């Protein structure tokens, strides 16, 4: 959960990004079972389990939308009905849900998150239970989502974010080239880093 917010807005991806960054910087500081999560005891540090919550949400949306990722939108938010102010949990949420179609921007964002998660798993694979299957699975997810986004166009900042993570994870020069291409300045008034994906790329 994103502070009790149970939808999948793209901007909420900042939560797993921060959690994954904290883990990447100090992977030995985190362990399984320290946060008393439903996933505690699965062999993965709880911080990674918590980071994976929204990433897995996005993954499930790919199955519904033919390979692309969507963010959820709670219609009641627009009318000023916010659960954190009105005090009800997700299982009592009776508001109308509206889910947009898949977008390349969301899918690039997911590709970057999946690659980031695979990278973090690889950091500890030798110190915990073997994580090769999870690493391979999330790497495939990242590449597959990236290919979908490439085929459907999307903002350069989102492409740069996904490209950077796939290059860091795989070392494949093609992703490095895509990152440089996405960050090429094409006009004097172009800004880089202004979107929720851009600053992270």
């Amino acid at each position: 959960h994103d502070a009790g917010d149970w939808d999948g807005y793209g901007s909420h991806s900042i939560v797993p990004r921060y959690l994954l960054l904290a883990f990447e910087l100090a992977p030995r500081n985190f362990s399984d079972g320290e946060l008393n999560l439903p996933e505690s005891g699965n062999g993965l540090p709880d911080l990674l389990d918590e980071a994976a919550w929204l990433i897995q949400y996005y993954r499930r949306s790919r199955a519904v939308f033919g390979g692309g990722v969507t963010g959820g939108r709670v219609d009641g938010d627009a009318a000023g009905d916010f659960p954190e102010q009105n005090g009800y949990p997700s299982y009592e949420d009776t508001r109308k849900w509206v889910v947009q179609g898949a977008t390349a921007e969301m899918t690039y964002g997911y590709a970057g998150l999946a690659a980031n998660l695979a990278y973090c798993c690889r950091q500890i694979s030798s110190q915990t239970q073997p994580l090769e299957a999870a690493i391979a699975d999330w790497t495939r997810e990242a590449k597959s989502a990236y290919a979908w986004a490439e085929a459907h166009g999307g903002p350069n900042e989102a492409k740069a974010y996904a490209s950077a993570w796939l290059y860091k994870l795989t070392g494949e020069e093609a992703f490095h080239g895509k990152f440089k291409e996405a960050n090429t300045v094409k006009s004097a008034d172009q800004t880089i880093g202004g979107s929720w994906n851009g600053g992270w790329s």
Side-chain angles (χ1 to χ4, degrees):
H1 278 232
D2 170 11
D5 204 348
W6 48 84
D7 53 37
Y9 297 170
S11 59
H12 295 183
S13 67
I14 194 169
V15 174
R17 291 178 198 209
Y18 275 126
L19 295 175
L20 291 169
L21 175 62
F23 186 87
E24 181 189 355
L25 294 174
R28 288 177 181 82
N29 287 5
F30 304 99
S31 61
D32 188 14
E34 65 184 340
L35 298 178
N36 192 28
L37 302 174
E39 299 87 356
S40 292
N42 67 358
L44 207 60
D46 285 357
L47 191 76
L48 287 186
D49 285 322
E50 188 69 5
W53 189 90
L54 185 61
I55 302 169
Q56 291 165 343
Y57 176 102
Y58 291 148
R59 181 179 189 159
R60 290 190 302 272
S61 83
R62 291 191 72 208
V64 176
F65 290 95
V69 173
T70 181
R73 171 89 176 128
V74 181
D75 194 60
D77 286 359
D81 181 16
F82 296 97
E84 64 274 12
Q85 295 170 354
N86 297 316
Y88 54 85
S90 61
Y91 54 86
E92 292 179 4
D93 187 354
T94 59
R95 295 174 296 171
K96 179 180 179 181
W97 282 70
V98 178
V99 180
Q100 68 186 36
T103 68
E105 181 175 26
M106 287 294 298
T107 308
Y108 274 133
Y110 167 73
L113 285 166
N116 192 345
L117 182 58
Y119 184 90
C120 287
C121 288
R122 192 170 67 195
Q123 283 185 287
I124 57 164
S125 187
S126 62
Q127 296 138 18
T128 180
Q129 67 180 22
L131 296 173
E132 285 78 12
I135 295 164
D137 181 45
W138 284 112
T139 300
R140 277 191 304 273
E141 271 294 300
K143 287 183 171 184
S144 173
Y146 188 94
W148 189 96
E150 282 281 88
H152 291 82
N156 277 338
E157 292 191 342
K159 180 178 181 173
Y161 168 72
S163 299
W165 265 110
L166 276 158
Y167 178 55
K168 185 170 183 174
L169 174 66
T170 68
E172 294 176 20
E173 188 58 36
F175 292 117
H176 189 207
K178 295 285 187 178
F179 173 79
K180 291 190 286 187
E181 175 188 305
N183 279 305
T184 300
V185 176
K186 298 179 175 78
S187 66
D189 62 348
Q190 179 180 339
T191 59
I192 297 174
S195 73
W196 52 269
N197 275 309
W200 286 87
S201 70

